[in-house]
Amino acid sequence: MNSIYTQPGKQKLAETIAAVAYPMRDSDDLNPLLERIGDAKIVLLGEASHGTHEYYTWRSRISKRLIEEKGFSFIAVEGDWPDCYRINRYVKSYPDAGTHAPEVLNAFNRWPTWMWANWEIVELAEWLRTHNQTRPKGRKTGFYGLDMYSLWESLEAIIEYLEKVDPQALQVARKAFMCFEPYSEGGAHSYAESAWLVPYSCQKEVVELLQEIRYKVAQYNTDPEAVFNVEQNAQIAVRAEQYYRSMVSGGPQSWNIRDGHMAETLHALLQFHGEDAKAIVWEHNTHIGDARATDMARSGMVNVGMLVREQHPKDAVVTVGFGSYEGTVVAGRHWGDVMKIIHVPPAVEN
């Protein structure tokens, strides 16, 4: 890449890029990338903007080929665990998991809704469901969320599960839920501000809940994935509480908690799927790149790409960044803004 930027003149730059470029028209054009991936265990697929059609289309094409030709076990995305777990249940045809992908994707109601509730994900979910019909139980390709914004949703999922299997642990879960209940209307920011101003938080309650579930989890004789799901939701409650409490203090801590949790979740998924498991990760470029190679490192920040590379051999991880230089994106001009079609600023010359 350095040679591209040191060549003088736009014409020379264009010639240099053209000499190493592979035009992309259909899935067959991915052959050089599949060769590059080889026997890698983890493939990280980036994006420069959330919900952009072209990125999702090509990530789907890459993922399908990795699943069909190299036996990848699951796709893990920058989405909330409970919402994505509903897609996972759907693509594996679990009982009462829904009959059509659009109805399942209606569960994605956290802003920005277009990030996962879009037609590209509908198409991918339907493809995975069809693909899994030929796969044996325990070897079906999954779809999971790595993120941890779902504090209340995760607590609700835990309560729903424990109501059926463990009345004693249920009381611990309800105690944790009641601790957060006064902040439900104002949301996570309300809890974060309160925990900052008053020396009290719900940390003790969620940690006790996680400990209770981990102590009891071996006794639960329901479907193994359902047990894994409830334990993961308990882990999310702990990490989300830490994340929201750290937001108001500024600095890199909240970012590091979030990316640390996503890396931990990826590790847990690989363990759950067995020794030969392989993972495809869909996240923003800022998460799947390596923080050590950017100015993030000077700020004390880590990211998923960095943590994964530290945990696995060099050839086990392949990263594919996605970018563009013109066109339009679906976006909001600030957090919570209505969805707009916005023109991408022109590329910087040279």
Side-chain angles (χ1 to χ4, degrees):
M1 290 297 292
N2 287 339
S3 62
I4 292 177
Y5 290 103
T6 55
Q7 296 287 354
K10 287 189 289 185
Q11 184 62 35
K12 191 66 176 178
L13 174 65
E15 292 172 358
T16 305
I17 293 174
V20 296
Y22 292 92
M24 306 295 286
R25 299 181 183 87
D26 55 44
S27 294
D28 289 340
D29 294 325
L30 293 168
N31 289 342
L33 176 60
L34 270 287
E35 292 174 12
R36 164 72 183 86
I37 290 170
D39 297 325
K41 187 180 184 70
I42 301 169
V43 175
L44 307 171
L45 303 179
E47 63 179 357
S49 57
H50 291 315
T52 299
H53 163 73
E54 288 81 1
Y55 300 155
Y56 282 55
T57 298
W58 281 102
R59 290 198 298 191
S60 289
R61 289 173 177 173
I62 296 168
S63 299
K64 289 174 184 178
R65 289 199 58 180
L66 291 175
I67 291 165
E68 287 187 318
E69 299 172 33
K70 294 182 179 289
F72 273 68
S73 314
F74 59 88
I75 299 172
V77 305
E78 188 182 338
D80 289 325
W81 177 273
D83 293 339
C84 293
Y85 187 69
R86 279 188 280 270
I87 297 179
N88 180 66
R89 286 176 51 80
Y90 174 75
V91 301
K92 293 178 180 177
S93 300
Y94 283 162
D96 303 319
T99 56
H100 302 286
E103 69 177 278
V104 178
L105 286 161
N106 279 336
F108 287 87
N109 55 16
R110 191 187 309 281
W111 191 90
T113 54
W114 62 87
M115 186 170 172
W116 299 115
N118 56 60
W119 286 110
E120 290 78 19
I121 298 299
V122 166
E123 189 277 332
L124 178 61
E126 299 292 10
W127 182 89
L128 284 169
R129 186 176 171 96
T130 301
H131 168 79
N132 281 334
Q133 289 173 358
T134 62
R135 304 287 296 169
K137 186 177 180 181
R139 302 293 294 177
K140 297 181 186 295
T141 307
F143 188 97
Y144 303 94
L146 297 174
D147 228 327
M148 35 136 280
Y149 288 127
S150 59
L151 174 58
W152 278 270
E153 294 90 340
S154 289
L155 287 170
E156 289 169 355
I158 292 168
I159 289 172
E160 183 180 353
Y161 178 81
L162 294 179
E163 282 176 338
K164 303 172 185 176
V165 302
D166 192 342
Q168 183 178 348
L170 175 62
Q171 300 308 312
V172 182
R174 283 179 172 160
K175 180 182 176 183
F177 187 85
M178 289 175 63
C179 183
F180 289 102
E181 197 168 25
Y183 313 102
S184 58
E185 188 172 336
H189 289 277
S190 174
Y191 172 73
E193 291 169 0
S194 175
W196 176 256
L197 294 172
V198 181
Y200 172 77
S201 72
C202 299
Q203 182 180 22
K204 178 174 176 287
E205 284 78 2
V206 291
V207 170
E208 287 178 351
L209 174 58
L210 178 59
Q211 290 172 340
E212 179 76 9
I213 287 176
R214 284 182 170 170
Y215 177 71
K216 297 282 194 67
V217 75
Q219 304 172 26
Y220 300 151
N221 59 0
T222 56
D223 181 275
E225 190 155 31
V227 175
F228 178 70
N229 176 51
V230 73
E231 186 175 6
Q232 184 60 30
N233 276 310
Q235 179 68 43
I236 287 167
V238 172
R239 287 287 181 258
E241 190 278 333
Q242 293 175 349
Y243 174 79
Y244 290 127
R245 191 157 35 86
S246 70
M247 281 196 315
V248 292
S249 62
Q253 186 178 6
S254 61
W255 172 278
N256 289 348
I257 290 172
R258 183 177 173 223
D259 271 55
H261 169 78
M262 290 195 286
E264 289 170 3
T265 302
L266 178 60
H267 178 70
L269 283 165
L270 286 166
Q271 284 192 314
F272 178 76
H273 285 83
E275 186 178 350
D276 298 327
K278 295 182 178 182
I280 304 165
V281 177
W282 290 24
E283 291 197 308
H284 195 274
N285 290 338
T286 52
H287 294 297
I288 63 104
D290 193 324
R292 295 170 298 184
T294 73
D295 57 6
M296 294 172 69
R298 289 195 296 273
S299 301
M301 301 168 75
V302 301
N303 64 0
V304 173
M306 168 186 166
L307 296 171
V308 168
R309 286 180 181 86
E310 289 178 340
Q311 295 163 2
H312 296 273
K314 182 178 179 181
D315 294 340
V317 182
V318 173
T319 303
V320 184
F322 283 61
S324 55
Y325 67 93
E326 66 178 3
T328 59
V329 292
V330 173
R333 295 195 179 276
H334 57 79
W335 189 266
D337 191 20
V338 295
M339 183 179 76
K340 296 183 178 73
I341 296 177
I342 300 175
H343 282 271
V344 176
V348 177
E349 190 169 341
N350 291 329

Tab-separated table of all heavy atoms in Angstrom, residues 169 171-173 175-176 202-215 234 238:
chain	number	residue	atom	x	y	z
A	169	ALA	N	-33.150	-19.693	40.990
A	169	ALA	CA	-32.348	-18.722	40.234
A	169	ALA	C	-33.226	-17.603	39.681
A	169	ALA	O	-32.760	-16.469	39.492
A	169	ALA	CB	-31.603	-19.423	39.105
A	171	GLN	N	-35.502	-15.972	41.193
A	171	GLN	CA	-35.585	-14.891	42.171
A	171	GLN	C	-34.374	-13.965	42.075
A	171	GLN	O	-34.492	-12.750	42.229
A	171	GLN	CB	-35.694	-15.478	43.588
A	171	GLN	CG	-36.914	-16.361	43.790
A	171	GLN	CD	-38.209	-15.674	43.356
A	171	GLN	OE1	-38.465	-14.526	43.725
A	171	GLN	NE2	-39.001	-16.371	42.563
A	172	VAL	N	-33.194	-14.529	41.801
A	172	VAL	CA	-31.984	-13.725	41.632
A	172	VAL	C	-32.105	-12.849	40.381
A	172	VAL	O	-31.718	-11.678	40.378
A	172	VAL	CB	-30.736	-14.627	41.547
A	172	VAL	CG1	-29.467	-13.792	41.413
A	172	VAL	CG2	-30.651	-15.540	42.746
A	173	ALA	N	-32.674	-13.430	39.321
A	173	ALA	CA	-32.851	-12.688	38.073
A	173	ALA	C	-33.851	-11.552	38.253
A	173	ALA	O	-33.643	-10.437	37.750
A	173	ALA	CB	-33.311	-13.630	36.966
A	175	LYS	N	-34.532	-9.972	40.997
A	175	LYS	CA	-33.900	-8.962	41.829
A	175	LYS	C	-33.036	-8.033	40.975
A	175	LYS	O	-33.058	-6.804	41.145
A	175	LYS	CB	-33.055	-9.640	42.906
A	175	LYS	CG	-32.347	-8.673	43.845
A	175	LYS	CD	-31.488	-9.442	44.855
A	175	LYS	CE	-30.691	-8.476	45.742
A	175	LYS	NZ	-29.796	-9.223	46.678
A	176	ALA	N	-32.280	-8.615	40.033
A	176	ALA	CA	-31.449	-7.808	39.132
A	176	ALA	C	-32.319	-6.937	38.242
A	176	ALA	O	-32.040	-5.747	38.040
A	176	ALA	CB	-30.558	-8.717	38.294
A	202	CYS	N	-26.146	-1.268	40.015
A	202	CYS	CA	-26.712	-2.621	40.006
A	202	CYS	C	-25.643	-3.666	39.711
A	202	CYS	O	-25.966	-4.794	39.326
A	202	CYS	CB	-27.835	-2.705	38.970
A	202	CYS	SG	-29.211	-1.572	39.296
A	203	GLN	N	-24.399	-3.296	39.864
A	203	GLN	CA	-23.296	-4.212	39.553
A	203	GLN	C	-23.384	-5.495	40.387
A	203	GLN	O	-23.237	-6.596	39.865
A	203	GLN	CB	-21.955	-3.525	39.793
A	203	GLN	CG	-20.754	-4.400	39.454
A	203	GLN	CD	-19.433	-3.683	39.705
A	203	GLN	OE1	-19.372	-2.739	40.482
A	203	GLN	NE2	-18.386	-4.109	39.031
A	204	LYS	N	-23.623	-5.365	41.679
A	204	LYS	CA	-23.681	-6.519	42.574
A	204	LYS	C	-24.764	-7.493	42.124
A	204	LYS	O	-24.553	-8.714	42.099
A	204	LYS	CB	-23.950	-6.043	44.001
A	204	LYS	CG	-24.087	-7.154	45.033
A	204	LYS	CD	-24.214	-6.549	46.429
A	204	LYS	CE	-24.451	-7.626	47.480
A	204	LYS	NZ	-25.816	-8.190	47.401
A	205	GLU	N	-25.921	-6.959	41.732
A	205	GLU	CA	-27.050	-7.812	41.354
A	205	GLU	C	-26.759	-8.624	40.091
A	205	GLU	O	-27.079	-9.824	40.030
A	205	GLU	CB	-28.303	-6.958	41.153
A	205	GLU	CG	-28.959	-6.484	42.439
A	205	GLU	CD	-28.244	-5.312	43.089
A	205	GLU	OE1	-27.242	-4.831	42.513
A	205	GLU	OE2	-28.688	-4.873	44.163
A	206	VAL	N	-26.164	-8.003	39.070
A	206	VAL	CA	-25.922	-8.744	37.828
A	206	VAL	C	-24.773	-9.736	37.988
A	206	VAL	O	-24.786	-10.810	37.375
A	206	VAL	CB	-25.667	-7.792	36.635
A	206	VAL	CG1	-26.943	-7.046	36.273
A	206	VAL	CG2	-24.533	-6.823	36.904
A	207	VAL	N	-23.776	-9.400	38.804
A	207	VAL	CA	-22.687	-10.344	39.055
A	207	VAL	C	-23.217	-11.568	39.801
A	207	VAL	O	-22.856	-12.712	39.480
A	207	VAL	CB	-21.542	-9.664	39.841
A	207	VAL	CG1	-20.531	-10.707	40.321
A	207	VAL	CG2	-20.845	-8.632	38.969
A	208	GLU	N	-24.078	-11.353	40.789
A	208	GLU	CA	-24.684	-12.474	41.516
A	208	GLU	C	-25.520	-13.351	40.585
A	208	GLU	O	-25.525	-14.577	40.703
A	208	GLU	CB	-25.555	-11.950	42.659
A	208	GLU	CG	-24.753	-11.405	43.837
A	208	GLU	CD	-25.653	-10.852	44.940
A	208	GLU	OE1	-26.889	-10.747	44.708
A	208	GLU	OE2	-25.134	-10.525	46.019
A	209	LEU	N	-26.212	-12.718	39.643
A	209	LEU	CA	-27.012	-13.474	38.678
A	209	LEU	C	-26.115	-14.346	37.803
A	209	LEU	O	-26.409	-15.536	37.585
A	209	LEU	CB	-27.827	-12.513	37.812
A	209	LEU	CG	-28.618	-13.136	36.659
A	209	LEU	CD1	-29.600	-14.184	37.167
A	209	LEU	CD2	-29.339	-12.056	35.861
A	210	LEU	N	-25.024	-13.784	37.289
A	210	LEU	CA	-24.102	-14.556	36.455
A	210	LEU	C	-23.508	-15.724	37.247
A	210	LEU	O	-23.413	-16.851	36.748
A	210	LEU	CB	-22.988	-13.656	35.923
A	210	LEU	CG	-21.909	-14.333	35.068
A	210	LEU	CD1	-22.515	-14.997	33.841
A	210	LEU	CD2	-20.833	-13.330	34.663
A	211	GLN	N	-23.109	-15.462	38.488
A	211	GLN	CA	-22.543	-16.526	39.321
A	211	GLN	C	-23.562	-17.632	39.581
A	211	GLN	O	-23.222	-18.820	39.546
A	211	GLN	CB	-22.055	-15.927	40.646
A	211	GLN	CG	-20.832	-15.044	40.509
A	211	GLN	CD	-20.486	-14.315	41.796
A	211	GLN	OE1	-21.324	-14.169	42.690
A	211	GLN	NE2	-19.252	-13.845	41.900
A	212	GLU	N	-24.808	-17.248	39.831
A	212	GLU	CA	-25.872	-18.235	40.083
A	212	GLU	C	-26.093	-19.120	38.870
A	212	GLU	O	-26.200	-20.344	38.977
A	212	GLU	CB	-27.166	-17.511	40.453
A	212	GLU	CG	-28.355	-18.426	40.722
A	212	GLU	CD	-28.286	-19.124	42.067
A	212	GLU	OE1	-27.406	-18.782	42.884
A	212	GLU	OE2	-29.120	-20.020	42.304
A	213	ILE	N	-26.156	-18.512	37.697
A	213	ILE	CA	-26.401	-19.282	36.474
A	213	ILE	C	-25.213	-20.188	36.157
A	213	ILE	O	-25.385	-21.353	35.788
A	213	ILE	CB	-26.714	-18.320	35.305
A	213	ILE	CG1	-28.123	-17.735	35.503
A	213	ILE	CG2	-26.617	-19.035	33.955
A	213	ILE	CD1	-28.516	-16.710	34.485
A	214	ARG	N	-24.003	-19.670	36.305
A	214	ARG	CA	-22.827	-20.510	36.031
A	214	ARG	C	-22.731	-21.679	37.009
A	214	ARG	O	-22.265	-22.766	36.647
A	214	ARG	CB	-21.564	-19.660	36.080
A	214	ARG	CG	-21.392	-18.803	34.831
A	214	ARG	CD	-20.114	-18.003	34.855
A	214	ARG	NE	-19.865	-17.386	33.547
A	214	ARG	CZ	-18.933	-16.470	33.316
A	214	ARG	NH1	-18.155	-16.066	34.318
A	214	ARG	NH2	-18.772	-15.969	32.119
A	215	TYR	N	-23.156	-21.466	38.237
A	215	TYR	CA	-23.150	-22.530	39.234
A	215	TYR	C	-24.191	-23.605	38.896
A	215	TYR	O	-23.946	-24.799	39.079
A	215	TYR	CB	-23.442	-21.944	40.617
A	215	TYR	CG	-23.536	-22.962	41.718
A	215	TYR	CD1	-22.399	-23.629	42.184
A	215	TYR	CD2	-24.768	-23.260	42.293
A	215	TYR	CE1	-22.489	-24.576	43.198
A	215	TYR	CE2	-24.866	-24.206	43.313
A	215	TYR	CZ	-23.725	-24.858	43.763
A	215	TYR	OH	-23.815	-25.785	44.767
A	234	ALA	N	-26.638	-13.623	30.635
A	234	ALA	CA	-26.165	-13.216	31.959
A	234	ALA	C	-24.830	-12.484	31.860
A	234	ALA	O	-24.582	-11.499	32.574
A	234	ALA	CB	-26.042	-14.435	32.863
A	238	VAL	N	-23.826	-8.299	32.859
A	238	VAL	CA	-22.658	-7.816	33.600
A	238	VAL	C	-21.879	-6.797	32.774
A	238	VAL	O	-21.547	-5.704	33.245
A	238	VAL	CB	-21.738	-8.990	34.007
A	238	VAL	CG1	-20.427	-8.474	34.599
A	238	VAL	CG2	-22.454	-9.896	35.004
